Amino acid sequence: MKNNFFSSIKNKKLITQVVHSKNIVQNNICVIKYLKNNENKLNYIISTPKKYFKLAVTRNKIKRQVRSIIFEHKANNNMNIIIIIRDTYLNNTFNVNKALISELLNRIENNLWHM
């Protein structure tokens, strides 16, 4: 079944806008850059640098985990986000990472309310 509330960003112009936006929240496991959009859809990109995670299996596992965290988080759906995973992600368990990323998503929601 296709999910109409989440999608991956494919437009290069939109990616550039989000990357150059000054809206950033971060902690020790990831950096999230975000930008409000007019759609009722959460557009996302998950970046797992090859520099830190050499094996494709590891990068794909991290992307699956982060994607499931985003889907489970009942977030405000009208934003574009880019999640850049740091090398310390694998030092924690999935539940700890889930709590840390959810905390960042909550901070983004609070910031969007004040925009």
Side-chain angles (χ1 to χ4, degrees), residues 2 9 40-41 48 51 63 71 87 90 93:
K2 187 175 179 182
I9 301 175
N40 191 18
K41 188 181 271 191
T48 53
K51 176 180 178 181
K63 287 180 184 181
F71 290 165
D87 58 341
L90 292 177
T93 63

Side-chain angles (χ1 to χ4, degrees), residues 84-101:
I84 304 164
I85 303 297
R86 292 184 172 164
D87 58 341
T88 55
Y89 182 89
L90 292 177
N91 295 345
N92 301 327
T93 63
F94 173 72
N95 290 328
V96 172
N97 289 335
K98 181 177 178 179
L100 291 171
I101 292 174

Side-chain angles (χ1 to χ4, degrees), residues 31-105:
V31 175
I32 301 180
K33 296 183 176 200
Y34 63 96
L35 192 62
K36 190 171 184 176
N37 69 18
N38 295 329
E39 307 168 15
N40 191 18
K41 188 181 271 191
L42 177 80
N43 299 316
Y44 65 91
I45 291 180
I46 302 167
S47 172
T48 53
K50 197 183 278 190
K51 176 180 178 181
Y52 300 134
F53 310 106
K54 302 293 185 203
L55 296 176
V57 173
T58 306
R59 292 193 302 274
N60 292 336
K61 175 185 173 186
I62 292 169
K63 287 180 184 181
R64 278 195 315 272
Q65 288 180 350
V66 173
R67 196 174 305 118
S68 74
I69 293 169
I70 292 171
F71 290 165
E72 287 178 12
H73 184 76
K74 304 299 183 214
N76 186 358
N77 285 334
N78 57 347
M79 62 180 150
N80 302 318
I81 60 175
I82 296 179
I83 302 175
I84 304 164
I85 303 297
R86 292 184 172 164
D87 58 341
T88 55
Y89 182 89
L90 292 177
N91 295 345
N92 301 327
T93 63
F94 173 72
N95 290 328
V96 172
N97 289 335
K98 181 177 178 179
L100 291 171
I101 292 174
S102 293
E103 177 189 327
L104 290 180
L105 291 172

